[in-house]
Amino acid sequence: PIELVISPYQACILMLFNQQEEYTTADISSTTKLPMDALMKYMQTLALSKYQILTKSPKGKEIGETDVFTFNRAFTDRQRKIKMSLLVTKVSQDEKLSTKQTVDEDRKHAVEASIVRVMKARKTMAHQQLVLEVSQQLMKLFRPDPKVIKNRIESLISREYLERDKDNQGVYKYLA
């Protein structure tokens, strides 16, 4: 016997084949209540990877809703234990852009929070010193861009958390 190391969803999909000989992708989706995009990843792993536990017809790399899957009774392998990890699908440009925007937005908030923490403790501080201290604080999380720090300082000034010193424009004051 071969031991499969699979996810619970992959196990649920395989368990279906104890009740019936073949299923379409749509049948599997409605039975397991898995969304179609998630199901596609699991089906690719089970039918299109190195270890083809399920056979797919028609043959091909793409999986459609009407494709029929059957349990591959001829499946054998020399290994006793097979780990079936999900196939890594390519990330689209839209997803990359969306992720980058989310990360940038989160980082803006982290930069602002750090600026406010530093200024609350120091009350007044020179620009270079503030940028340096904020950079050091955030270095544990990510490498902050000095331009972003400057933009966030300007944003805090416009929202009246900070103000420029009247005598020296390179010095900021914290407004409580």
Side-chain angles (χ1 to χ4, degrees):
I2 297 173
E3 183 181 329
L4 296 176
V5 179
I6 55 178
S7 75
Y9 288 123
Q10 289 170 316
C12 289
I13 292 166
L14 289 178
M15 294 293 287
L16 290 175
F17 291 92
N18 288 338
Q19 300 164 358
Q20 197 174 310
E21 203 61 32
E22 59 183 41
Y23 284 95
T24 64
T25 311
D27 292 340
I28 295 170
S29 177
S30 65
T31 308
T32 59
K33 306 279 191 277
L34 276 171
M36 196 55 84
D37 58 329
L39 179 64
M40 295 296 180
K41 292 177 186 173
Y42 295 119
M43 296 309 290
Q44 283 178 331
T45 305
L46 293 170
L48 302 176
S49 67
K50 178 181 173 186
Y51 307 107
Q52 294 184 352
I53 311 294
L54 301 176
T55 55
K56 172 187 164 302
S57 65
K59 298 272 186 226
K61 293 269 184 219
E62 295 298 315
I63 295 176
E65 285 192 32
T66 57
D67 291 357
V68 178
F69 292 90
T70 55
F71 185 73
N72 182 3
R73 296 195 183 285
F75 176 76
T76 57
D77 198 75
R78 279 188 258 143
Q79 294 179 323
R80 289 191 169 282
K81 189 174 188 177
I82 298 172
K83 185 173 193 257
M84 304 218 27
S85 57
L86 287 178
L87 294 177
V88 178
T89 55
K90 290 183 179 175
V91 180
S92 71
Q93 283 301 106
D94 291 342
E95 288 174 340
K96 281 182 184 176
L97 188 63
S98 159
T99 303
K100 184 175 176 6
Q101 287 173 340
T102 306
V103 167
D104 287 347
E105 194 62 35
D106 290 346
R107 287 182 176 180
K108 281 181 185 177
H109 296 303
V111 169
E112 283 187 4
S114 181
I115 293 168
V116 170
R117 270 195 305 273
V118 170
M119 290 304 294
K120 201 171 190 178
R122 299 285 177 357
K123 301 295 182 211
T124 61
M125 196 171 220
H127 177 78
Q128 281 304 102
Q129 200 178 356
L130 178 60
V131 170
L132 182 69
E133 198 156 328
V134 168
S135 294
Q136 287 173 341
Q137 267 191 16
L138 295 173
M139 205 56 86
K140 298 172 205 136
L141 304 172
F142 62 94
R143 184 181 299 260
D145 184 8
K147 290 177 191 169
V148 172
I149 295 172
K150 184 177 185 312
N151 289 340
R152 295 295 89 208
I153 290 171
E154 293 301 326
S155 172
L156 288 168
I157 289 172
S158 70
R159 289 184 285 156
E160 298 182 357
Y161 284 92
L162 302 177
E163 72 175 359
R164 293 184 189 277
D165 188 67
K166 287 166 182 54
D167 301 328
N168 185 354
Q169 291 292 306
V171 175
Y172 304 110
K173 288 183 178 178
Y174 178 71
L175 302 173

